[in-house]
Amino acid sequence: MTDAQNTAADTTLRASGDSPPDPRPAPVPLLEPREGIPPVVATDEALAEVVAAFAGGTGPVAVDAERASGYRYGQRAYLVQLRREGAGSALIDPVGCPDLSGLGEAIGDAEWVLHAATQDLPCLRDIGMVPTRLFDTELAGRLAGFARVGLGAMVENVLGFALEKGHSAVDWSTRPLPEPWLRYAALDVELLVDLRDALEEELTRQGKLEWARQEFAAIAAAPPPPPRKDPWRRTSGMHKVRRRRQMAVVRELWTARDQVAQRRDVSPGKVLGDAAIVEAALNLPPNSHALAALPGFGHRMGRRQLEQWQGAVDRARALAESELPQPGQPLNGPPPPRAWADKDPAAAARLSAARASVTALAEQLNLPQENLITPDTVRRLCWEPPELPTAESVAEVLAGHGARPWQIEQVTPILTEALQADAD
């Protein structure tokens, strides 16, 4: 057992539903780096030493990555943190060392321990780091029924230490990185393996360890998501835009903004806000003077910028009717549930019964409904149920939508009952 686990031997796992903690708890000690803050690795020579050290280490590898969301274009990694028994901790600068495939291969057979793995895996994949096995401490916390699953809350509740706060949303593309930021980053992996071990014990106690293993395997095996179709439709405030010509303005401005943001390597929101795009779409300004009068295009914006955005508006205004975007994206699946009562009352009744059953079972199992079975899977099953809703046919549909074996085993009886009740 590690020092951290010995310190926390009397700490009770506070999963949701357990008795509340003492209203006057003892002060939680602030976590300190065991070996100090490691130097940032930014050269091939230093990276080779880290690769050798981690290849010679033992056990799981704690992995984390820091991005510059809200500051830079895209979601690339600007710092990678690792820790492994026998190797200690490492902080690697992916700007100075953009290819970490050698490190990925050195630790590839080990289990990677990440917190909220799906957030970090895309940027790690971009620099050559792809796990074959992983343990996601956030997802493990959800399955175990913890009400708060942020890393700080989990480390405090499970291991009895407080993590430093305040640097999660900073601009990690800053160079050189300030010492307090590096300290914060190093501590993120300091107890990650200890947290993994404690959560494995708790999942075993609850009989959920195999469920977690299936979830982790699905994450590790998942391919990169395909590019999002018509990403401009996700512009904040898009629900106000009703006419096709206005939608064309949003599309043109969004595309122009994205090109500028990519060229300058800054967050699109720093180039032009979503609210400004929507205002231009709703008002269809005829010239840059009228555009300048709209919120988001004020006096601080230069003439050249105004002409650039007005050019996008003008392109949308000049489009033929046949070139305008359609009001909504083509549906890939059932319509929104709010429309079911009118389109198919029987399907609406099935969905209501299924949702109630899933809610009750999730409460019984002490885990979030979306982790028991995704709402989208339930909707698809209820919209197009098997002709004869038996346990076998329902299980087959669930598997076809990507449900894991443990999920199928848990929800097939209640969903089959919900569909059969409707059929009767």
Side-chain angles (χ1 to χ4, degrees):
M1 184 175 286
T2 66
D3 291 342
Q5 289 171 315
N6 283 323
T7 303
D10 295 328
T11 302
T12 301
L13 296 181
R14 300 171 192 156
S16 60
D18 290 350
S19 300
D22 189 315
R24 294 170 298 174
V28 179
L30 190 66
L31 181 63
E32 297 288 343
R34 281 175 260 191
E35 300 110 15
I37 304 172
V40 177
V41 173
T43 66
D44 291 342
E45 294 76 17
L47 178 60
E49 294 180 8
V50 169
V51 170
F54 275 79
T58 59
V61 183
V63 183
D64 191 23
E66 305 295 347
R67 300 175 297 280
S69 303
Y71 297 94
R72 295 288 182 175
Y73 185 87
Q75 293 295 316
R76 66 168 294 183
Y78 283 95
L79 188 69
V80 175
Q81 308 101 279
L82 304 99
R83 184 174 179 85
R84 191 180 196 186
E85 188 71 29
S89 295
L91 301 178
I92 302 176
D93 179 4
V95 177
C97 302
D99 182 5
L100 299 186
S101 56
L103 177 60
E105 292 169 2
I107 62 174
D109 292 336
E111 179 187 78
W112 296 22
V113 184
L114 302 101
H115 192 81
T118 54
Q119 295 183 19
D120 287 340
L121 288 178
C123 69
L124 290 170
R125 182 184 292 113
D126 289 344
I127 53 179
M129 298 184 65
V130 183
T132 56
R133 295 186 296 132
L134 64 84
F135 190 107
D136 186 332
T137 50
E138 184 198 51
L139 182 50
R142 292 181 184 279
L143 294 175
F146 283 82
R148 298 168 61 217
V149 294
L151 180 58
M154 295 288 288
V155 168
E156 183 172 334
N157 289 341
V158 178
L159 300 177
F161 286 95
L163 289 178
E164 291 187 4
K165 301 176 182 179
H167 302 303
S168 61
V170 299
D171 181 2
W172 287 96
S173 69
T174 300
R175 292 296 182 273
L177 286 165
E179 190 271 345
W181 299 12
L182 296 174
R183 176 186 177 87
Y184 166 91
L187 289 174
D188 271 359
V189 293
E190 186 82 12
L191 293 182
L192 209 49
V193 173
D194 301 79
L195 180 60
R196 171 237 180 271
D197 293 343
L199 288 172
E200 183 177 67
E201 290 183 12
E202 178 64 11
L203 289 168
T204 300
R205 186 185 71 80
Q206 295 186 24
K208 297 176 180 176
L209 183 58
E210 176 56 27
W211 301 2
R213 286 173 173 163
Q214 291 181 24
E215 293 298 307
F216 302 156
I219 294 173
R228 191 183 300 276
K229 185 178 181 181
D230 291 348
W232 58 269
R233 292 184 184 272
R234 295 177 62 84
T235 302
S236 180
M238 189 68 190
H239 62 281
K240 303 175 186 177
V241 181
R242 304 301 180 103
R243 299 176 182 174
R244 294 175 63 200
R245 184 73 60 185
Q246 295 172 333
M247 292 179 185
V249 172
V250 173
R251 182 177 64 186
E252 293 295 330
L253 280 172
W254 188 98
T255 302
R257 178 185 70 175
D258 194 67
Q259 291 170 349
V260 172
Q262 187 170 10
R263 185 175 68 249
R264 291 169 49 189
D265 189 20
V266 296
S267 169
K270 290 187 175 295
V271 175
L272 185 67
D274 281 8
I277 290 178
V278 171
E279 284 293 330
L282 295 176
N283 288 275
L284 291 170
N287 52 55
S288 57
H289 180 74
L291 181 67
L294 299 177
F297 298 93
H299 62 279
R300 294 182 181 179
M301 188 171 288
R303 177 180 174 183
R304 185 175 178 181
Q305 287 178 294
L306 283 171
E307 290 176 349
Q308 174 182 245
W309 304 132
Q310 184 61 41
V313 175
D314 291 343
R315 287 194 296 275
R317 291 169 62 94
L319 290 174
E321 197 74 18
S322 61
E323 298 176 301
L324 298 177
Q326 295 301 317
Q329 292 175 292
L331 283 175
N332 178 22
R338 63 179 178 272
W340 285 31
D342 293 330
K343 291 179 178 291
D344 190 338
R350 288 193 294 268
L351 182 61
S352 178
R355 281 175 163 174
S357 297
V358 168
T359 298
L361 181 58
E363 291 177 355
Q364 178 185 332
L365 296 173
N366 192 27
L367 51 74
Q369 298 175 42
E370 62 271 19
N371 292 114
L372 175 59
I373 190 72
T374 67
D376 181 67
T377 297
V378 175
R379 287 194 295 268
R380 289 174 183 269
L381 172 67
C382 292
W383 185 253
E384 293 183 352
E387 187 173 347
L388 185 62
T390 64
E392 292 75 16
S393 63
V394 169
E396 184 178 353
V397 171
L398 294 175
H401 291 312
R404 264 68 74 190
W406 77 268
Q407 294 175 314
I408 295 171
E409 179 182 1
Q410 293 296 321
V411 303
T412 291
I414 62 170
L415 293 179
T416 301
E417 184 178 349
L419 297 180
Q420 289 176 342
D422 173 72
D424 295 341

